[in-house]
Amino acid sequence: MPVDLEICSILHRGRAEDALPIIEETLGAADINADQRQRLLFLKAIALAETHETKGAIQILDQLIASTPDQWEFYFHRWQLRLMALDKQGAKEDRETGMKLNPKQFSQDFSPTSGVF
């Protein structure tokens, strides 16, 4: 099983704390390409969010958005995290940007406490 699928499986089972060491080890591998690194960083942000490390998760999503500003998923998860962190202005900005990238997804209301992953 590819490592990102293994990590997703662990996250889906609600065991984000178990996923983080695997993510870190894989990120340290010399043979990952830029796309794999980006995917692993995204999964790390999700795992951090699920372990209530909101600030760290937002920082990773900030980096991902800076390098790939057309990925609506990054804005979606940062939007939800900013809502949880009570950053209303930041959440509003992420939702507005997200609406331009994926209007269907961002026109819905989501509860930030329903889980990020």
Side-chain angles (χ1 to χ4, degrees):
M1 172 185 300
V3 72
D4 66 323
L5 294 179
E6 176 186 354
I7 293 165
C8 286
S9 176
I10 292 168
L11 290 171
H12 278 295
R13 291 192 309 264
R15 296 180 34 219
E17 65 281 347
D18 295 337
L20 284 166
I22 298 167
I23 294 167
E24 289 297 334
E25 180 181 337
T26 309
L27 279 169
D31 62 342
I32 61 171
N33 64 38
D35 288 340
Q36 291 167 322
R37 179 172 173 69
Q38 184 179 62
R39 174 79 173 146
L40 287 166
L41 285 172
F42 176 67
L43 292 173
K44 182 177 179 180
I46 298 299
L48 288 173
E50 291 293 330
T51 59
H52 307 287
E53 294 183 41
T54 304
K55 185 177 180 180
I58 290 173
Q59 288 174 341
I60 291 172
L61 290 168
D62 290 345
Q63 294 171 9
L64 291 170
I65 288 169
S67 68
T68 315
D70 61 344
Q71 291 291 319
W72 69 267
E73 296 92 342
F74 301 157
Y75 290 98
F76 178 83
H77 291 285
R78 192 172 70 175
W79 167 40
Q80 295 300 294
L81 288 168
R82 285 179 163 175
L83 286 172
M84 287 172 49
L86 303 177
D87 176 2
K88 291 180 183 181
Q89 183 59 38
K92 179 182 175 196
E93 291 169 6
D94 282 344
R95 190 172 195 180
E96 288 171 355
T97 302
M99 284 290 285
K100 295 173 188 168
L101 298 171
N102 187 336
K104 182 178 178 183
Q105 187 73 25
F106 284 84
S107 64
Q108 301 175 58
D109 285 317
F110 297 90
S111 167
T113 59
S114 65
V116 178
F117 189 67

